[in-house]
């Protein structure tokens, strides 16, 4: 019940995450719980409450000091809002939704089938700002849910599409052959004609 608090050794570890990164951790947790909790419904208030249990609960104490509560609660709320904005959490049917209860959206339910909850969360320290926007859009969601195989596939597919479009090739050009032709020395449409040849790169200082 208190897995969210156990994910973070210190308050700073939680607060260092951007809303999408923290949201991905929360989503993985909710996917793991699935229909086993409150008939598949989740509430922001309950999630935050897990970080600050009542003193009467035996054997458990929050790992976070009460003095950090306002900023921690804000970070969790921002991550929750990101999940809602992305359609990963949607209002529960009927009156429950009006009362703040949320369920996994269709895309999140697909994640729930794929996510390997035994794996550690994605290394959030990866500088996503270094990624091209097209790669970020396609690959980052998979990366954040630790689906690294699909993240790599989506990234390479985005690169392939960009190279094909820039070179003016049709859909028949794919994979390694596409890149080799596009950057072929002396004849590829994307070749840098100002760059030294392989011979020059090898022997010139």
């Amino acid at each position: 019940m208190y897995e969210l608090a156990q994910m973070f050794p210190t308050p700073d570890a939680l607060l260092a995450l951007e809303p999408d990164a923290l949201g991905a951790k929360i989503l993985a947790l909710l996917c793991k719980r699935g229909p086993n909790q409150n008939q598949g419904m989740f509430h922001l208030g309950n999630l935050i409450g897990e970080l600050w249990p009542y003193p009467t609960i035996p054997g458990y104490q929050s790992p976070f000091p009460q003095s950090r509560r306002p900023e921690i609660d804000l970070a969790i709320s921002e991550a929750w809002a990101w999940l809602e904005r992305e359609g990963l959490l949607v209002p529960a049917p009927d009156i429950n939704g009006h009362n703040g209860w949320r369920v996994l959206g269709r895309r999140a339910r697909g994640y729930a089938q794929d996510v390997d909850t035994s794996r550690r969360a994605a290394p959030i320290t990866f500088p996503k700002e270094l990624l091209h926007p097209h790669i970020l859009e396609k690959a980052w969601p998979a990366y954040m849910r630790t689906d690294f195989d699909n993240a790599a596939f989506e990234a390479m597919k985005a690169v392939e599409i960009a190279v094909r479009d820039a070179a003016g090739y049709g859909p028949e050009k794919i994979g390694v052959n596409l890149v080799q032709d596009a950057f072929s020395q002396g004849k590829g449409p994307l070749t840098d004609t100002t760059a030294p040849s392989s011979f020059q790169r090898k022997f010139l200082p």
Side-chain angles (χ1 to χ4, degrees):
M1 182 177 179
Y2 303 114
E3 298 98 332
L4 182 61
Q6 295 166 358
M7 288 181 180
F8 306 100
T10 66
D12 290 334
L14 185 152
L15 295 170
L17 303 182
E18 294 293 328
D20 58 343
L22 182 55
K25 284 180 173 286
I26 292 173
L27 178 62
L29 176 60
L30 300 184
C31 287
K32 181 180 179 181
R33 294 176 178 178
N36 299 321
Q37 179 174 326
N38 296 318
Q39 298 179 326
M41 296 188 297
F42 309 99
H43 198 286
L44 174 60
N46 290 353
L47 187 70
I48 291 178
E50 293 180 15
L51 301 178
W52 316 102
Y54 292 108
T56 55
I57 297 179
Y60 183 80
Q61 182 177 357
S62 175
F64 307 131
Q66 283 287 335
S67 60
R68 307 295 297 274
R69 179 165 185 170
E71 53 186 330
I72 289 174
D73 287 0
L74 178 60
I76 298 294
S77 298
E78 289 175 345
W80 190 273
W82 178 82
L83 290 170
E84 291 187 327
R85 187 174 68 249
E86 293 296 313
L88 298 168
L89 289 180
V90 297
D94 304 323
I95 191 65
N96 291 319
H98 293 290
N99 289 331
W101 290 94
R102 299 293 181 260
V103 296
L104 298 176
R106 289 182 297 173
R107 186 155 55 104
R109 291 175 186 176
Y111 294 170
Q113 296 175 2
D114 297 335
V115 68
D116 182 354
T117 54
S118 67
R119 291 187 291 185
R120 295 180 62 85
I124 307 303
T125 53
F126 183 87
K128 69 176 184 177
E129 62 273 8
L130 297 181
L131 295 176
H132 188 279
H134 291 318
I135 296 177
L136 185 66
E137 176 186 3
K138 299 295 184 181
W140 190 254
Y143 175 80
M144 290 306 304
R145 64 179 190 269
T146 70
D147 187 1
F148 300 127
D149 290 343
N150 274 327
F153 173 78
E154 292 293 347
M156 294 309 300
K157 185 168 69 172
V159 171
E160 181 175 296
I161 292 172
V163 171
R164 184 185 297 112
D165 291 346
Y169 291 146
E172 71 282 355
K173 289 283 189 180
I174 60 174
V176 175
N177 290 335
L178 163 66
V179 175
Q180 287 178 337
D181 289 350
F183 294 96
S184 176
Q185 185 69 33
K187 61 179 181 179
L190 301 184
T191 299
D192 183 357
T193 57
T194 65
S197 66
S198 58
F199 178 85
Q200 292 172 319
R201 286 197 299 268
K202 181 177 181 181
F203 294 103
L204 288 180

